[in-house]
Amino acid sequence: MTAKINERSFLSFLILSVITFGIYPIVYWHKISKDVEILCEGDGKKTMKYVFIWLLNFVTFGIAGIVWRAKLAQRLKENAARYDIKISESAALVVVYELLIILVGPFIARYVIVKNFNALAVAFNEYNGLTDAEDDVFADAE
């Protein structure tokens, strides 16, 4: 049986990143990369483990992380159609955010990835009948 994929909070990511002095992002992206493997299973691709990328960042001055996030964004975009979702943000846009928008760009790039991940997670859970009864109650109230 397929397990439910939890949505991720970007605000919690930011807060816990500061509180843990940068250690939480390793856990956060590791969990997302594992879940992306489940979301995109069968597409013939693999998402490289984030711990390895985190270590490579020191040698490549952060370029490995940018490439990893761009590939992650592209993989989410390519697999969105299987869940009837349209994702407009591409890998190129993530790279532009990472490199060209001073100070806030990397945050925007990460937000885009998390937003798209959450959209796929919700669709995946609905497709596989993994929504909670409580979720359905709140959905009816809206």
Side-chain angles (χ1 to χ4, degrees):
M1 180 177 167
T2 305
K4 181 178 178 182
I5 295 181
N6 295 321
E7 295 177 66
R8 303 285 192 257
S9 167
F10 187 71
L11 183 59
S12 295
F13 165 73
L14 292 177
I15 293 169
L16 289 171
S17 295
V18 172
I19 291 172
T20 64
F21 301 104
I23 293 180
Y24 182 69
I26 300 167
V27 174
Y28 186 86
W29 291 112
H30 172 74
K31 288 181 178 181
I32 283 186
S33 68
K34 283 177 61 177
D35 285 346
V36 166
E37 287 300 309
I38 296 167
L39 286 172
C40 302
E41 186 177 4
D43 69 351
K45 297 181 180 178
K46 291 271 187 204
T47 300
M48 190 176 288
K49 303 284 186 220
Y50 185 73
V51 174
F52 179 68
I53 295 301
W54 181 76
L55 292 171
L56 258 177
N57 266 336
F58 293 109
V59 178
T60 63
F61 303 103
I63 293 172
I66 293 170
V67 171
W68 184 84
R69 284 184 293 279
K71 285 184 174 188
L72 185 69
Q74 192 62 34
R75 189 169 183 202
L76 291 171
K77 179 181 172 96
E78 289 169 357
N79 282 275
R82 85 166 43 161
Y83 300 109
D84 286 332
I85 295 175
K86 175 127 173 70
I87 292 178
S88 58
E89 298 92 0
S90 66
L93 184 63
V94 168
V95 171
V96 167
Y97 284 144
E98 290 272 3
L99 297 175
L100 298 180
I101 302 176
I102 306 299
L103 298 177
V104 297
F107 295 107
I108 295 170
R110 286 159 178 80
Y111 173 76
V112 164
I113 293 169
V114 172
K115 175 186 71 84
N116 292 340
F117 169 83
N118 285 338
L120 259 67
V122 167
F124 174 87
N125 292 333
E126 289 175 359
Y127 178 80
N128 290 297
L130 301 171
T131 56
D132 294 332
E134 291 129 15
D135 293 344
D136 294 337
V137 171
F138 291 118
D140 292 338
E142 294 175 6

